[in-house]
Amino acid sequence: MIVISNQILIDFLRLNNRANDVRNEQLGKQLDDIIKKLGGTQHERVDGGRSNEEGQPYGFPKTSMSYDFPENQLQTLFINILNTIS
């Protein structure tokens, strides 16, 4: 198992101009569903290291949820994200 954060996944989507019209909270829920279906277990909410920045509901998140995630499912995770979230 590895630890992943949905902040990193949201950053990935934002950097690739995906889900620009989806609020972070909703995007987090979509990612949560995908992660859990692939065997991820919610771990805890973590600070994204952006406490000095203003929060943007359609930008890069300030906090996120972390998950214990099976390392052998990383490729499948990104394939599912790219096929599901546009």
Side-chain angles (χ1 to χ4, degrees):
M1 288 285 194
I2 60 170
V3 177
I4 62 169
S5 163
N6 66 4
Q7 172 194 353
I8 293 167
L9 301 173
I10 292 172
D11 286 354
F12 168 77
L13 291 167
R14 301 289 188 217
L15 288 170
N16 287 284
N17 296 312
R18 292 179 177 259
N20 290 328
D21 59 343
V22 180
R23 294 178 64 90
N24 288 339
E25 295 84 11
Q26 185 61 34
L27 199 49
K29 289 177 185 177
Q30 291 177 7
L31 291 168
D32 184 73
D33 288 341
I34 294 169
I35 292 167
K36 287 180 177 177
K37 284 179 184 173
L38 294 173
T41 305
Q42 201 171 64
H43 191 56
E44 63 184 7
R45 182 166 297 281
V46 293
D47 180 14
R50 296 179 172 149
S51 58
N52 62 334
E53 299 176 15
E54 284 188 41
Q56 297 178 11
Y58 297 95
F60 298 109
K62 291 175 73 170
T63 63
S64 68
M65 192 60 66
S66 64
Y67 299 82
D68 291 324
F69 190 78
E71 187 173 346
N72 64 347
Q73 290 293 326
L74 278 173
Q75 182 176 358
T76 305
L77 173 65
F78 278 89
I79 290 169
N80 276 292
I81 289 170
L82 292 172
N83 288 336
T84 305
I85 302 172
S86 56

